[in-house]
Amino acid sequence: MAGVLYVVATPIGNLGDLTVRAREVLAEADLVAAEDTRHTMRLLDHYGLQARLESLHDHSSTRRIEQIVARVADGDTVALVSDAGTPLISDPGFELVRAAREADLDVRPVPGACAATAALSVAGLPTDRFRFCGFPPAKAAARERFLTELAGASATLVLYESSHRVVATLAALADAFGSGRPAFVAREMTKRFEQYVRGSLGSLAEAVAAGEIPTKGEFVLVVGGAPEGRADDGTLRELLAVLLEELPASRAARVAARLSGRPRKECFAIAEALRGG
Ligand code: SAM
């Protein structure tokens, strides 16, 4: 009989957040496939659990994935874990789960902590529809495309960011979506210095730049979706025409983006066209 591949969530900071079932599955698994075995060893040690650990990360070979799939097919129970939170969510594991599904194996979740849903659950922003965006691209062109694509999305957005890029990312979000967009910063959730700040993209960008929100630790950014009442093309052109009487195109575009809920780049392109005309 084939075994089971369990996808096991682990804590995102507070070790007390490992579920009872996760402990049982980790203790009983024939193999724990871990993103970083030393990291997972500390978690297992904390609970006095013994397990056979092997590494599985984004650079693992196809052969390695095939070996794990073969073990499950032969009847072993394998538990997949990442360093923190839910595997596959901006973490390794996708190739293994896809391969196991393609082999028609039994793949079951052991749900638990996930930074995205933890932040969303306390942000006070709409949760009926949300879009998980992972880490924004680091390279300028890809980042610009990413922001342009998301600017008009009406769902609440959830982003991961590292401490050394959070200042630039909040500034870029404020610039692309309008500084008035409601947003939320969750820093170091469940840890000693956890911090939660609600504000507008503009005020949060200023708070991190000024050090009121320290750029230390781990961050999730939650951003309210684009307002539903987005101005149509005609209204936007009229608005820009009036603004252009008083302001240069870039500032007119910025104000129009904020008032209309349309992306700044789109407003700028129309402003330039109006100027040209
Ligand atoms: N698989 C994980 C999950 O389920 O959330 C995410 C792993 S991803 C490599 C790490 C990122 O998640 C961090 O850079 C940060 O954006 C976010 N994160 C993880 N733990 C966090 C925490 N305790 N507080 C705030 N953000 C956290």
Side-chain angles (χ1 to χ4, degrees), residues 3-4 6 8 20-32 44 48-52 71 75-80 108 110:
V4 180
Y6 287 102
V8 182
V20 173
R21 195 159 81 88
R23 273 175 247 175
E24 286 166 5
V25 167
L26 290 172
E28 283 163 23
D30 297 300
L31 168 69
V32 175
L44 297 176
L49 301 174
Q50 307 233 311
R52 171 130 192 255
R71 288 190 62 165
D76 274 357
T77 296
V78 175
L80 169 70
R108 301 185 199 175
V110 181

Side-chain angles (χ1 to χ4, degrees), residues 32-44:
V32 175
E35 179 182 6
D36 178 340
T37 52
R38 281 166 308 174
H39 191 100
T40 300
M41 184 65 85
R42 285 196 288 276
L43 178 70
L44 297 176

Side-chain angles (χ1 to χ4, degrees), residues 172-248:
L173 286 167
D175 193 35
F177 300 177
S179 57
R181 194 78 87 86
F184 182 78
V185 171
R187 185 175 80 87
E188 292 286 87
M189 284 182 289
T190 75
K191 302 187 205 174
R192 184 160 170 219
F193 296 109
E194 63 190 323
Q195 185 180 19
Y196 304 94
V197 187
R198 191 180 176 183
S200 63
L201 277 174
S203 70
L204 292 172
E206 279 169 24
V208 283
E212 288 157 29
I213 301 173
T215 49
K216 281 190 188 139
E218 300 189 283
F219 289 81
V220 178
L221 309 177
V222 186
V223 183
E228 290 287 355
R230 295 199 328 147
D232 59 30
D233 283 357
T235 313
L236 180 58
R237 292 175 88 82
E238 280 171 29
L239 172 64
L240 276 163
V242 175
L243 289 169
L244 282 169
E245 288 171 16
E246 308 290 334
L247 299 170

Side-chain angles (χ1 to χ4, degrees), residues 2-274:
V4 180
L5 171 63
Y6 287 102
V7 179
V8 182
T10 58
I12 56 167
N14 188 323
L15 292 182
D17 290 338
L18 188 72
T19 68
V20 173
R21 195 159 81 88
R23 273 175 247 175
E24 286 166 5
V25 167
L26 290 172
E28 283 163 23
D30 297 300
L31 168 69
V32 175
E35 179 182 6
D36 178 340
T37 52
R38 281 166 308 174
H39 191 100
T40 300
M41 184 65 85
R42 285 196 288 276
L43 178 70
L44 297 176
D45 281 349
H46 178 82
Y47 283 104
L49 301 174
Q50 307 233 311
R52 171 130 192 255
L53 278 168
E54 286 184 19
S55 74
L56 182 90
H57 42 71
D58 278 338
H59 306 293
S60 294
S61 62
T62 312
R63 175 98 196 89
R64 178 93 199 88
I65 287 163
E66 284 167 0
Q67 282 168 348
I68 298 177
V69 168
R71 288 190 62 165
V72 178
D74 285 346
D76 274 357
T77 296
V78 175
L80 169 70
V81 295
S82 61
D83 285 355
T86 303
L88 281 80
I89 307 301
S90 293
D91 262 346
F94 168 65
E95 299 292 350
L96 174 63
V97 170
R98 180 167 64 177
R101 281 266 164 238
E102 279 169 2
D104 256 337
L105 293 173
D106 193 355
V107 185
R108 301 185 199 175
V110 181
C114 174
T117 49
L120 194 60
S121 73
V122 293
L125 289 165
T127 52
D128 51 340
R129 278 182 305 135
F130 64 88
R131 188 153 157 185
F132 175 64
C133 309
F135 288 93
K139 291 198 176 138
R143 196 178 176 91
E144 192 65 38
R145 274 199 304 279
F146 172 88
L147 292 171
T148 306
E149 189 204 317
L150 291 176
S154 57
T156 296
L157 306 175
V158 184
L159 296 93
Y160 285 168
E161 194 46 289
S162 69
S163 55
H164 56 276
R165 282 223 295 265
V166 70
V167 172
T169 295
L170 274 168
L173 286 167
D175 193 35
F177 300 177
S179 57
R181 194 78 87 86
F184 182 78
V185 171
R187 185 175 80 87
E188 292 286 87
M189 284 182 289
T190 75
K191 302 187 205 174
R192 184 160 170 219
F193 296 109
E194 63 190 323
Q195 185 180 19
Y196 304 94
V197 187
R198 191 180 176 183
S200 63
L201 277 174
S203 70
L204 292 172
E206 279 169 24
V208 283
E212 288 157 29
I213 301 173
T215 49
K216 281 190 188 139
E218 300 189 283
F219 289 81
V220 178
L221 309 177
V222 186
V223 183
E228 290 287 355
R230 295 199 328 147
D232 59 30
D233 283 357
T235 313
L236 180 58
R237 292 175 88 82
E238 280 171 29
L239 172 64
L240 276 163
V242 175
L243 289 169
L244 282 169
E245 288 171 16
E246 308 290 334
L247 299 170
S250 61
R251 292 205 56 205
R254 203 171 297 228
V255 176
R258 203 165 155 187
L259 294 173
S260 66
R262 302 274 294 254
R264 180 184 54 80
K265 277 197 109 181
E266 211 179 312
C267 296
F268 185 67
I270 298 173
E272 288 273 273
L274 286 173

